[in-house]
Amino acid sequence: MAIRFGLLGAGRIGKVHAKAVTGDANARLVAVADAMPAAAQAIADQYGCDVRTIEAIESAKDIDAVVICTPTDTHADLIERFVKAGKAVFCEKPIDLSLARVKQCLEVVRAHKGTLMVGFNRRFDPHFRAVRAEIDKGTVGEVEMVVITSRDPGAPPVEYIKRSGGIFRDMTIHDFDMARFLLGEEITEVVATAAVLVDPAIGTAGDFDSVQVLLKTASGRQAMISNSRRATYGYDQRIEVHGAKGAVSAENQRPVSIEVATGAGYTRPPLHDFFMTRYTEAYAAEIATFIAALGGKGAAEPSGEDGLIALALADAAVKSVAEGRVVKLSEVM
Amino acid sequence: MAIRFGLLGAGRIGKVHAKAVTGDANARLVAVADAMPAAAQAIADQYGCDVRTIEAIESAKDIDAVVICTPTDTHADLIERFVKAGKAVFCEKPIDLSLARVKQCLEVVRAHKGTLMVGFNRRFDPHFRAVRAEIDKGTVGEVEMVVITSRDPGAPPVEYIKRSGGIFRDMTIHDFDMARFLLGEEITEVVATAAVLVDPAIGTAGDFDSVQVLLKTASGRQAMISNSRRATYGYDQRIEVHGAKGAVSAENQRPVSIEVATGAGYTRPPLHDFFMTRYTEAYAAEIATFIAALGGKGAAEPSGEDGLIALALADAAVKSVAEGRVVKLSEVM
Amino acid sequence: MAIRFGLLGAGRIGKVHAKAVTGDANARLVAVADAMPAAAQAIADQYGCDVRTIEAIESAKDIDAVVICTPTDTHADLIERFVKAGKAVFCEKPIDLSLARVKQCLEVVRAHKGTLMVGFNRRFDPHFRAVRAEIDKGTVGEVEMVVITSRDPGAPPVEYIKRSGGIFRDMTIHDFDMARFLLGEEITEVVATAAVLVDPAIGTAGDFDSVQVLLKTASGRQAMISNSRRATYGYDQRIEVHGAKGAVSAENQRPVSIEVATGAGYTRPPLHDFFMTRYTEAYAAEIATFIAALGGKGAAEPSGEDGLIALALADAAVKSVAEGRVVKLSEVM
Amino acid sequence: MAIRFGLLGAGRIGKVHAKAVTGDANARLVAVADAMPAAAQAIADQYGCDVRTIEAIESAKDIDAVVICTPTDTHADLIERFVKAGKAVFCEKPIDLSLARVKQCLEVVRAHKGTLMVGFNRRFDPHFRAVRAEIDKGTVGEVEMVVITSRDPGAPPVEYIKRSGGIFRDMTIHDFDMARFLLGEEITEVVATAAVLVDPAIGTAGDFDSVQVLLKTASGRQAMISNSRRATYGYDQRIEVHGAKGAVSAENQRPVSIEVATGAGYTRPPLHDFFMTRYTEAYAAEIATFIAALGGKGAAEPSGEDGLIALALADAAVKSVAEGRVVKLSEVM
């Protein structure tokens, strides 16, 4: 019996998830809702589903699960409403920019024994999953040091930055989750440095565009993260894991892998220039994981709790920069 | 107005094309035919189309084009029938194993001003296309030497080999087409060496499993091809083009691009182990090209003529090995 | 006129420098001194120079310059003695493990207008120099973020660790100098995390074996360093520089660059397993630079001051770990 | 007891061998001879050896071995003279451009039980040796197909071409020797294609600048060679060996291995632009091998016979192009 879906939000990422749901033999897209009727209608036309209001989806008998792709400030409310309505929920990250609000929301989920999966898509990238699989197989021995490089092709508009919660909560949060995914032990300490090097307007907006973070677990496992809002050479997304017995890494991805050789040297094309082309397979795989979990196969992870911890790490990084010191995660949780 | 398709053959490659057709906004899969009713029904169920006989598709008013994925020995007959019925035809390679039969078939196509595209899928691989694009941009200057490495993960069953027309017509034919795609000038001379190194049963069947070919054009451009029926490390598919101003190459592809480092060295995973996973994007792109061409955008290429020349090059290679000499293409055409 | 050299210390690194001096057309090795007469004699035999005492070299009329390769705790004294004796001095790093002692020594050098070059060999690695050359050419624009990975094949004996001054002063000091070499602006802030993951005996000795460091300059340029005392895959030495217009990196080096492909994947050999094979060219180039500078071509850099600052950064890292906070370089200088 | 050397020829390659001999603890350079006294004197000054005439070296009691680096047309005569004089001979390739003359010379060597090693330097490249070592270890199983790419950065002057014996005897001869080194079985058949694409003046001089060769052994092992006199991207020197159990390859070498990333892509520097920088280590290793062999360790290989067979393969290639057919080695030997 196929899982019947409602899609909340028909924007850029909503379209990606609509395609993933309709392409899965174990799922069916029943309805889509969006504040912009034309956007919802376009998806309805393409995939032959209904346009409905959020309220109608909430009360629908023919819908088992929803995918929330609405603006960030609506996430926590919608999670609570749909969990209360008995729907399984897949929600784009973050649950909320306020740790307190996230905790409150997760309590509602727990109280209603709801299913909540959070969209940290990078865990589903096949290359990063293969790195994790090597760790799980023991190839590298006990994990000791993780290095994450994560740089965007270009900075988003300052208007976006202002509502983003800041670079640690908006961008580094993916890397915090990736560090947890790879370290195999909870992070207890955070310290960060931060600067404005890309665009002074980002500084004026109270944010940074170039940051570094060190993480440490109780037993001494460590991770470091390098973030920039601008990389002329494309979307720079690499991870390395060094362990007692060896190391494993995932290199950058590019649309085509040719090499041109001339008197100027050997040149490969730039990297992907957009997160949606870089993580195409990851977006499809995370929805497939959610559908499989609802069908009883595997867990609906990353969970709301994973979303909470990643946000707490971001809060700790903000505090670390403000106070020029190592911050324990327990100080902010 | 979407192009309406009939699919002839519901086997492995038929399924691939069914997915490509249904995933294209400008096409619709109307019906499928197969000698095995269950195979046709499975595709009909998945994509909501009819199961019909070949005859019914031939006479159908609601079908504009067909994709032929039936056994090789039916290709030429079906091309003729469907061209006569006024349908555009996409046919898997080869048109036939006999050069005379192919010529006859192409005359029928011409007489009926039919549209025939032949499935040399590798021309549509994004990496190989990018190599060709660099040539077209003039990055490497005049093309001088092409090197094609093409090795299968493992030999097919000897029963397949016996019906295959031999390694030059079955396997190298792709590389002959690729050499033409890259050389930018017609090939006039062929010489080859051949041996049985992988499996003596292939030799008993009258075929070779390890061959090398040199090609030359009238102006002296040259190409060389290395083929083996077995590569333990996966599906080895590389091309290099050396020209007056530089070179361009396309490296092998693998499912995941991680690297594991231990005391034994730095190891990346083996290559794809199957042509359908290696050329997933190419299969989708060739059907998209056919659909676009039927809609008036671009050409339905590679053409039947391309199929004819590739087969003639294979015939020349067979003759070269038999006679231990350079064979002119004009001797076999 | 060739520069006439005395060599102080005929151990492992002394032999390397003896070869570099004798292989340079603008230099001549006149004498060697070592506490172990047999070691000095071996070098004398191989290169046809004298064995003398340190005192004899100090007062020699036929010696213009010395290379100091004696144990660390003799460096500062020997620098002072030979500068006073009017000899140009090349000294292996570090000048001393005590910042106060280094400052005192550099005052003596200044007072006698002496020439002192410090052996941070990695600045002379051709690959790292090429990275710096790209920065100087403006290829990457303003430098924004530097990432240095530096891992030893295996931990030294604990007896060595005990006398080493600790990992930051013994191992990371090279990376501090490299960060300065690449950042193009003085470092003002240091923060580090540290752990014992490789060998508990290192912890018992009061040291760490796995550390991470973040560095920051006044304008916000940043660097991060990952160090481990053990890498099963060899001597891991990489640098990356990210700037406003692009990035430049230097990959790891290995003795031979073959690749073996089997069903298990594609494997390249492990990295160099020893700093002296990894940095063979760098050792030769640093002595050539010293000889050239004495001949009036270029500067005798890195200078004593460079040695001082690298040590101060190490002291700041020690303090950062102890106090769990960002330490300003001005606090320790 | 060190082997005492005479050097015949003080040109470019003579200097390389002078350095190799003097740098070897088991050898001593006693004298150098050259038609240009200044060239001989420069080497004598640098390494402290005598300048003597060829005749004086021939009759010298204090010389055990000679290295012949004189013009090609003197090689065979000098080999005969020095073998008769009881000296061990290392001779740059080729022995002669005439197969008959080579055979005659080798008979003299045999008659006098002389030691003759021929300078196919590429066998001593550490990367190519490592490829061979993997074959010897059985990593790739039985060798089946070898692919050799060998392209010069630029064509030599036409005056050189005219005296060179043609591209097959001058350039491909190295690849013929490499194919033999890797195939593990004698080559029995040769076929080639050839063209003038780089410089019409080369064609006017009766030579080709772009050639392809196929080789085959009695059991069916095969090799292919791609040669061009011009590669804008540097000295392109690669080998691949495909076998029953896997493959092994050696990639190109470049002076520095950095990578620059910008909006235009990821660029590594061009390759070495000169055979002497590309094969620096190989030149040193071949002389070390000769010295070791004279000292009783290992064989003085490649032998005169190896030189003979490589030349015969070149002759067969010339014949193949002229006659448009596969030529058996037995036809020319």
Side-chain angles (χ1 to χ4, degrees), chain C residues 62 69 80 97 108 137 139 144 147 161 174 230 283 297:
Chain C
D62 63 348
C69 316
E80 292 178 359
L97 293 172
V108 172
K137 277 194 286 180
T139 312
E144 295 176 353
V147 181
I161 297 268
H174 279 291
R230 181 249 295 116
Y283 281 114
K297 287 180 200 132

Tab-separated table of all heavy atoms in Angstrom, chain C residues 62 69 80 97 108 137 139 144 147 161 174 230 283 297:
chain	number	residue	atom	x	y	z
C	62	ASP	N	89.676	30.286	7.511
C	62	ASP	CA	89.237	29.773	6.207
C	62	ASP	C	87.773	29.318	6.200
C	62	ASP	O	87.360	28.506	5.385
C	62	ASP	CB	90.144	28.627	5.744
C	62	ASP	CG	90.092	27.425	6.688
C	62	ASP	OD1	89.543	27.570	7.814
C	62	ASP	OD2	90.581	26.339	6.305
C	69	CYS	N	73.679	21.835	13.168
C	69	CYS	CA	72.785	20.668	13.190
C	69	CYS	C	72.986	19.881	14.484
C	69	CYS	O	72.790	18.661	14.501
C	69	CYS	CB	73.081	19.742	12.024
C	69	CYS	SG	73.339	20.540	10.467
C	80	GLU	N	75.110	32.369	19.058
C	80	GLU	CA	75.772	33.532	19.644
C	80	GLU	C	77.291	33.476	19.429
C	80	GLU	O	77.906	34.466	19.034
C	80	GLU	CB	75.446	33.618	21.136
C	80	GLU	CG	73.971	33.962	21.389
C	80	GLU	CD	73.597	34.010	22.872
C	80	GLU	OE1	74.498	33.747	23.713
C	80	GLU	OE2	72.428	34.289	23.171
C	97	LEU	N	63.742	26.274	22.787
C	97	LEU	CA	62.351	26.012	23.157
C	97	LEU	C	61.803	27.100	24.072
C	97	LEU	O	60.608	27.130	24.351
C	97	LEU	CB	62.230	24.643	23.827
C	97	LEU	CG	62.532	23.464	22.874
C	97	LEU	CD1	62.574	22.153	23.659
C	97	LEU	CD2	61.490	23.388	21.769
C	108	VAL	N	71.674	39.311	20.524
C	108	VAL	CA	73.117	39.155	20.250
C	108	VAL	C	73.373	39.206	18.750
C	108	VAL	O	74.301	39.859	18.273
C	108	VAL	CB	73.637	37.816	20.852
C	108	VAL	CG1	75.091	37.553	20.409
C	108	VAL	CG2	73.513	37.841	22.366
C	137	LYS	N	51.449	36.021	-7.473
C	137	LYS	CA	51.010	36.451	-8.801
C	137	LYS	C	49.583	37.000	-8.774
C	137	LYS	O	49.113	37.537	-9.761
C	137	LYS	CB	51.029	35.256	-9.765
C	137	LYS	CG	52.372	34.962	-10.372
C	137	LYS	CD	52.242	34.019	-11.557
C	137	LYS	CE	51.948	32.598	-11.119
C	137	LYS	NZ	51.822	31.647	-12.244
C	139	THR	N	46.854	35.115	-8.432
C	139	THR	CA	45.915	34.147	-9.020
C	139	THR	C	44.679	33.908	-8.155
C	139	THR	O	43.583	33.738	-8.673
C	139	THR	CB	46.631	32.785	-9.228
C	139	THR	OG1	47.879	33.022	-9.861
C	139	THR	CG2	45.785	31.859	-10.058
C	144	GLU	N	42.234	34.458	1.981
C	144	GLU	CA	41.207	34.522	3.025
C	144	GLU	C	41.310	33.372	4.034
C	144	GLU	O	41.191	33.583	5.223
C	144	GLU	CB	39.816	34.519	2.382
C	144	GLU	CG	39.578	35.781	1.554
C	144	GLU	CD	38.259	35.792	0.811
C	144	GLU	OE1	37.551	34.759	0.815
C	144	GLU	OE2	37.926	36.829	0.213
C	147	VAL	N	44.273	26.174	4.842
C	147	VAL	CA	44.053	24.896	5.525
C	147	VAL	C	45.334	24.068	5.396
C	147	VAL	O	45.797	23.810	4.286
C	147	VAL	CB	42.867	24.122	4.910
C	147	VAL	CG1	42.655	22.805	5.650
C	147	VAL	CG2	41.601	24.968	4.940
C	161	ILE	N	59.756	12.783	22.751
C	161	ILE	CA	58.610	13.659	23.081
C	161	ILE	C	58.923	14.487	24.323
C	161	ILE	O	58.668	15.706	24.361
C	161	ILE	CB	57.346	12.797	23.336
C	161	ILE	CG1	56.936	12.017	22.077
C	161	ILE	CG2	56.222	13.639	23.913
C	161	ILE	CD1	55.936	12.680	21.167
C	174	HIS	N	56.210	24.003	12.439
C	174	HIS	CA	56.381	24.053	10.981
C	174	HIS	C	55.135	24.622	10.304
C	174	HIS	O	55.225	25.370	9.328
C	174	HIS	CB	56.615	22.638	10.421
C	174	HIS	CG	58.017	22.167	10.559
C	174	HIS	ND1	59.055	22.700	9.843
C	174	HIS	CD2	58.557	21.185	11.326
C	174	HIS	CE1	60.186	22.069	10.160
C	174	HIS	NE2	59.919	21.152	11.055
C	230	ARG	N	50.302	10.264	13.982
C	230	ARG	CA	50.310	8.968	13.311
C	230	ARG	C	49.337	8.932	12.139
C	230	ARG	O	48.156	9.242	12.309
C	230	ARG	CB	49.950	7.832	14.285
C	230	ARG	CG	49.969	6.462	13.648
C	230	ARG	CD	48.579	5.873	13.520
C	230	ARG	NE	47.954	5.619	14.786
C	230	ARG	CZ	46.841	6.243	15.182
C	230	ARG	NH1	46.264	7.160	14.421
C	230	ARG	NH2	46.299	5.931	16.331
C	283	TYR	N	65.368	20.452	1.383
C	283	TYR	CA	66.622	20.587	2.141
C	283	TYR	C	67.726	21.140	1.249
C	283	TYR	O	68.502	22.009	1.660
C	283	TYR	CB	67.045	19.237	2.741
C	283	TYR	CG	66.275	18.899	3.991
C	283	TYR	CD1	65.394	17.829	4.047
C	283	TYR	CD2	66.429	19.676	5.145
C	283	TYR	CE1	64.677	17.535	5.194
C	283	TYR	CE2	65.717	19.384	6.299
C	283	TYR	CZ	64.840	18.323	6.316
C	283	TYR	OH	64.135	18.045	7.457
C	297	LYS	N	72.751	37.325	-3.403
C	297	LYS	CA	71.520	37.130	-4.177
C	297	LYS	C	70.383	36.684	-3.277
C	297	LYS	O	70.379	35.557	-2.786
C	297	LYS	CB	71.755	36.072	-5.255
C	297	LYS	CG	72.626	36.590	-6.402
C	297	LYS	CD	72.843	35.504	-7.453
C	297	LYS	CE	74.052	35.832	-8.305
C	297	LYS	NZ	74.974	34.696	-8.468
